[in-house]
Amino acid sequence: MRVVVQRSGPARVRVDGETVGEIRFGLVVLVGVGKDDTHEDAQYLAEKIAGLRIFPDEEGKLNRDVREAGGAVLSVSQFTLYGDARKGRRPSYADAAPPDVAERLYNAFNEALRARGLQVETGRFRAMMQVELVNDGPVTILLDSKRVF
């Protein structure tokens, strides 16, 4: 699994003009599921994200995780994180998981975050979504459960 984690102020995701997920502040997490991913990948990234110390403490140091900061998570599925544009001009998505597998692991990832005490809002799987956020910092972290980067 691959994720883009962004520390955020207000954020929301809309589908057909309707807000389906919204947070006051916290993390916006774009989630891509790869064809070789398993339940363990979802658990690993949920644990990593829940503990990421990217929120400032009283001294301004990045020492707090999203729970300690009182924030929430807006999780948005995004298969395009597995786009490979090294050849040609049209990305290949051959490394992305099939939709049924991706949806199951995306849901497992969100449940794993909730099990760690986080409030999790989501987009709508396989929908065309509009994501709005105020990137705070900006702080943006890339994570891959296979530790590719």
Side-chain angles (χ1 to χ4, degrees):
M1 292 180 86
R2 291 182 180 162
V3 296
V4 176
V5 180
Q6 298 175 80
R7 193 178 73 189
S8 176
R12 70 179 178 164
V13 60
R14 294 182 298 130
V15 176
D16 295 327
E18 172 194 358
T19 298
V20 296
E22 185 171 18
I23 62 172
R24 225 173 24 90
F25 77 96
L27 300 174
V28 173
V29 182
L30 306 177
V31 183
V33 180
K35 66 182 180 183
D36 296 326
D37 287 339
T38 66
H39 187 75
E40 287 73 31
D41 294 288
Q43 294 294 319
Y44 167 77
L45 285 177
E47 182 69 25
K48 182 66 102 172
I49 290 166
L52 272 180
R53 295 176 5 179
I54 58 174
F55 290 86
D57 62 16
E58 302 81 21
E59 297 175 8
K61 291 184 180 181
L62 299 183
N63 270 333
R64 291 188 174 152
D65 63 35
V66 65
R67 280 177 303 207
E68 293 168 328
V73 175
L74 178 59
S75 173
V76 180
S77 64
Q78 188 170 347
F79 78 94
T80 60
L81 291 178
Y82 277 90
D84 182 351
R86 290 177 290 181
K87 294 181 183 176
R89 295 181 294 168
R90 180 178 304 172
S92 166
Y93 300 103
D95 290 335
D100 58 327
V101 173
E103 184 172 18
R104 181 172 40 82
L105 290 174
Y106 171 68
N107 289 335
F109 168 76
N110 292 327
E111 286 307 313
L113 288 172
R114 289 182 182 108
R116 287 160 175 80
L118 294 171
Q119 176 194 340
V120 180
E121 296 287 323
T122 65
R124 188 170 297 154
F125 192 84
R126 292 192 81 182
M128 183 62 81
M129 296 176 273
Q130 292 76 46
V131 180
E132 301 172 15
L133 72 138
V134 176
N135 199 317
D136 183 29
V139 175
T140 303
I141 307 289
L142 304 176
L143 297 171
D144 186 294
S145 61
K146 308 294 190 215
R147 288 122 173 131
V148 174
F149 46 80

